[in-house]
Amino acid sequence: MARSRSISGSGVWKYLNPAYYLRRPRRLALLFFLFVSVSMVVWDRMNLAREHEVEVIKLTEEVLRLEQMLEELKGVGDGKTLMTHKDVPEDPVDVERRQKVKEAMIHAWSSYEKYAWGKDELQPRTKDGTDSFGGLGATMIDSLDTLYIMGLDEQFQKAREWVATSLDFDKDYDASMFETTIRVVGGLLSTYDLSGDKIFLEKAKDIADRLLPAWNTPTGIPYNIINLRSGSAHNPSWAAGGDSILADSGTEQLEFIALSQRTGDPKYQQKVEKVITELNKNFPADGLLPIYISPDNANPSYSTITFGAMGDSFYEYLLKVWVQGNKTSEVKLYREMWEKSMKGLLSLIKKSTPSSFTYIQEKNGNSYNDKMDELACFAPGMLALGASGYGPDEEKKFLTLAEELAWTCYNFYQSTPTKLAGENYYFSAGQDMSVGTSWNILRPETVESLFYLWRLTGNKTYQEWGWNIFQAFEKNSRIESGYVGLKDVNTGAKDNKMQSFFLAETLKYLYLLFSPSSVISLDEWVFNTEAHPLKIVPRNNDQRKPTITLRQRRFGGEIKG
């Protein structure tokens, strides 16, 4: 047996001797072929294993991402705040400033809650409330989306309960159709889009139905005042010749189109789009309309042309309905009308001396007035938002104009002892600007434009300007029981009202100015003129109820669009 193993062993070893194959070329070739084949199989198996490993890693990451999204969606549904922000690491200064603005909102809201709960607006100095809008809970509704975006869940839920149980629109009250639309309809729809809670949509439909008779005029251009109980509508007694006001008649399109999209009922959209169709019939080549329009024949009256009070938001909504409609051919008319109006705006642009502040004049007939309202400081943000719809040269021109106007508006603030802007400014040769009406009622327009310019250019200068304005509000307007406006920005004398738009607009835009651009993304949302964000939904010709996801992911108390 031992010999047998020895012979057998020597028989195997000869195949391992290279000389054996050198004397047998065919067997050498066969061995080489076998070696190459085995090597290729092994190499292929190794590659497959590596690819499989990569795929497994990708699938694992995707599963984890989907699990995280599911948890985030659950968090929104449960009203929870999830600290899972995945943006690029934030500037600590932005985080700190955003928290300061949030604390300001908490102070404003808690003061309203303590002294004026359910009233339209707080009077901080007398520590009581006033129903300046007929008892519709204006501050409550105006604040809902701000509370939600800031992650103030406890405050939001308490306000939601008030809306569900106490908000009643059956009032014998002559309401401003414009103010009720932008504050109440807009505020409720925005909160519905953010939260998905149908109580807000139901309430929005209720108040919108009460406003609809205002459009029952010979042209469809609405009356601006309507009784919420009887539906009787008329125009303000002080309006020229019983005419309708341009801004009041052309600033309902975003809200009522959104309401038709959310409910599937086309009547709201039909009412507000007829206004634009009517105005477009004789729309001037420069796109500029006077502030008074006849509801009987749609003819403009001889009156002021302005981007300030009573004109402003008409032009804003021409652009924003185009944005809301996803910039498609369905809303092309709005963009065309807006571009005409921007040609007209260019004809109103002038520079001051000696400092070359760019400003927007007002016009009456063929005469120009070197006056600009702080309200017109929405225009830089509007121009920045609309610039990208032009070709490269025009885009650069309008963005530059936006930046120049923003500098002027910022100097409305910086030029006063309190560093808060007056209501309007006059420009005169060699003297730049001077305050006209000297009150400040906590308006948002300048910080609104700074928000847009920051988002669209990334220039942190606009954040610095916004922070300076916020600090001026904190120094001059904050008192123990809320925030007040100033009777005079030169002396700092205080008034006795915390305007609802301070919570709806001013603090919201300041908060977003220091938030990542993914928080209420401008690609996903469009702001109404009261800073209520509405979800962008493509136009639907047959007005069937669209399928849209209304609940958004929340990160650290913030909404990501």
Side-chain angles (χ1 to χ4, degrees):
M1 291 294 294
R3 180 177 172 81
S4 174
R5 285 197 298 272
S6 175
I7 293 171
S8 175
S10 64
V12 172
W13 282 107
K14 72 179 180 179
Y15 295 111
L16 300 177
N17 187 347
Y20 175 82
Y21 294 100
L22 290 174
R23 292 193 297 270
R24 298 169 177 80
R26 289 183 179 179
R27 293 193 178 186
L28 178 62
L30 180 63
L31 179 65
F32 178 75
F33 176 76
L34 183 62
F35 172 76
V36 171
S37 298
V38 170
S39 298
M40 289 181 67
V41 169
V42 171
W43 180 78
D44 184 56
R45 291 298 93 188
M46 289 175 66
N47 267 353
L48 285 174
R50 279 194 296 269
E51 289 173 3
H52 177 71
E53 184 179 355
V54 170
E55 288 299 317
V56 168
I57 292 171
K58 286 181 178 179
L59 287 171
T60 302
E61 290 175 348
E62 183 66 11
V63 168
L64 289 173
R65 187 182 70 83
L66 291 171
E67 286 177 348
Q68 184 179 0
M69 285 177 62
L70 181 60
E71 289 302 313
E72 291 159 0
L73 288 170
K74 286 179 181 177
V76 171
D78 296 338
K80 294 176 183 176
T81 297
L82 299 176
M83 300 300 290
T84 53
H85 211 301
K86 291 273 184 177
D87 282 295
V88 176
E90 290 191 67
D91 184 338
V93 173
D94 288 348
V95 176
E96 180 183 358
R97 289 176 175 180
R98 185 168 70 241
Q99 184 60 32
K100 291 290 186 184
V101 176
K102 185 174 181 178
E103 289 170 4
M105 179 65 186
I106 292 170
H107 177 63
W109 177 259
S110 61
S111 299
Y112 170 75
E113 186 176 13
K114 183 174 181 179
Y115 300 113
W117 184 253
K119 295 288 188 178
D120 284 329
E121 291 177 312
L122 168 66
Q123 297 183 136
R125 297 180 72 191
T126 52
K127 298 183 179 180
D128 57 11
T130 179
D131 282 333
S132 40
F133 296 97
L136 303 182
T139 294
M140 188 87 66
I141 298 172
D142 248 352
S143 301
L144 284 165
D145 54 7
T146 307
L147 294 172
Y148 195 92
I149 290 167
M150 291 186 181
L152 297 172
D153 297 319
E154 182 180 339
Q155 295 91 330
F156 175 81
Q157 290 301 328
K158 187 173 180 180
R160 186 259 180 217
E161 185 65 21
W162 184 89
V163 169
T165 60
S166 301
L167 180 58
D168 180 16
F169 297 128
D170 185 22
K171 297 180 183 295
D172 184 16
Y173 172 70
D174 285 352
S176 163
M177 195 263 295
F178 165 74
E179 296 290 356
T180 307
T181 297
I182 66 172
R183 296 176 195 238
V184 182
V185 180
L188 291 168
L189 280 176
S190 175
T191 309
Y192 172 64
D193 277 4
L194 291 165
S195 70
D197 190 332
K198 290 186 177 179
I199 187 63
F200 300 113
L201 181 60
E202 291 166 6
K203 293 291 186 179
K205 186 177 183 300
D206 181 2
I207 186 63
D209 286 340
R210 296 173 185 274
L211 297 177
L212 280 179
W215 280 270
N216 295 338
T217 68
T219 60
I221 292 173
Y223 295 122
N224 300 150
I225 305 293
I226 186 166
N227 187 281
L228 296 179
R229 180 170 292 165
S230 70
S232 174
H234 59 90
N235 276 331
S237 57
W238 48 263
D243 284 348
S244 298
I245 298 165
L246 177 63
D248 289 26
S249 304
T251 311
E252 291 79 29
Q253 284 69 27
L254 283 179
E255 295 84 357
F256 278 70
I257 290 170
L259 188 57
S260 280
Q261 290 176 324
R262 303 326 183 244
T263 63
D265 189 336
K267 66 182 179 183
Y268 308 104
Q269 179 170 335
Q270 289 168 354
K271 289 286 189 185
V272 296
E273 296 218 294
K274 189 176 189 304
V275 176
I276 301 303
T277 301
E278 198 66 35
L279 292 176
N280 189 52
K281 288 179 181 178
N282 296 300
F283 203 55
D286 65 2
L288 299 178
L289 288 174
I291 57 174
Y292 293 119
I293 306 288
S294 170
D296 298 322
N297 54 32
N299 290 333
S301 299
Y302 183 85
S303 53
T304 302
I305 289 171
T306 179
F307 279 80
M310 299 194 288
D312 48 7
S313 50
F314 166 72
Y315 304 103
E316 175 188 356
Y317 270 37
L318 289 179
L319 174 68
K320 287 185 174 179
V321 174
W322 176 71
V323 174
Q324 180 191 39
N326 221 23
K327 307 176 184 179
T328 63
S329 59
E330 291 293 322
V331 285
K332 184 181 178 183
L333 170 65
Y334 288 90
R335 175 75 195 196
E336 290 173 345
M337 292 176 70
W338 182 77
E339 289 192 6
K340 279 187 180 180
S341 299
M342 293 310 98
K343 289 180 181 177
L345 181 143
L346 292 176
S347 71
L348 301 177
I349 294 297
K350 193 174 178 181
K351 288 185 180 291
S352 73
T353 55
S355 302
S356 292
F357 288 118
T358 302
Y359 63 98
I360 307 172
Q361 299 171 289
E362 296 182 344
K363 184 179 180 183
N364 203 317
N366 292 319
S367 63
Y368 293 83
N369 186 8
D370 293 301
K371 167 181 170 286
M372 181 174 170
D373 290 349
E374 196 281 338
L375 282 166
C377 286
F378 85 96
M382 175 189 68
L383 290 167
L385 183 64
S388 62
Y390 288 107
D393 292 342
E394 290 291 285
E395 177 182 7
K396 183 178 180 181
K397 178 176 76 176
F398 280 102
L399 187 57
T400 299
L401 176 59
E403 293 175 324
E404 291 175 356
L405 287 169
W407 172 240
T408 300
C409 291
Y410 177 58
N411 277 276
F412 284 175
Y413 286 78
Q414 291 298 295
S415 62
T416 72
T418 57
K419 305 299 181 187
L420 289 176
E423 183 74 354
N424 52 52
Y425 285 76
Y426 288 89
F427 294 82
S428 54
Q431 297 180 26
D432 284 325
M433 65 178 79
S434 58
V435 177
T437 305
S438 61
W439 68 59
N440 178 293
I441 57 172
L442 309 171
R443 288 201 187 277
E445 287 75 22
T446 297
V447 294
E448 172 186 353
S449 284
L450 297 180
F451 158 73
Y452 278 109
L453 283 163
W454 153 242
R455 280 284 180 94
L456 296 167
T457 70
N459 187 340
K460 293 181 76 66
T461 296
Y462 301 116
Q463 289 182 306
E464 294 303 316
W465 294 356
W467 179 247
N468 291 339
I469 291 171
F470 174 70
Q471 288 183 304
F473 279 128
E474 288 291 286
K475 180 179 179 180
N476 296 281
S477 294
R478 180 169 177 149
I479 64 174
E480 175 268 333
S481 50
Y483 287 83
V484 295
L486 300 185
K487 295 178 181 178
D488 188 337
V489 294
N490 296 309
T491 66
K494 293 174 171 54
D495 69 16
N496 187 31
K497 183 175 282 190
M498 187 172 75
Q499 303 280 347
S500 77
F501 54 66
F502 181 67
L503 293 82
E505 301 185 72
T506 310
L507 292 178
K508 184 187 289 130
Y509 281 128
L510 283 165
Y511 183 83
L512 293 174
L513 182 63
F514 302 110
S515 298
S517 58
S518 57
V519 181
I520 311 296
S521 166
L522 294 179
D523 294 326
E524 308 266 344
W525 301 84
V526 60
F527 288 89
N528 86 337
T529 198
E530 190 79 2
H532 296 305
L534 299 170
K535 194 73 174 171
I536 294 172
V537 179
R539 294 291 282 265
N540 191 343
N541 281 335
D542 61 10
Q543 286 301 324
R544 288 174 297 183
K545 190 171 182 179
T547 302
I548 56 176
T549 302
L550 293 172
R551 296 193 176 197
Q552 300 303 310
R553 291 177 284 152
R554 267 222 254 185
F555 294 82
E558 298 157 354
I559 310 302
K560 272 189 93 172

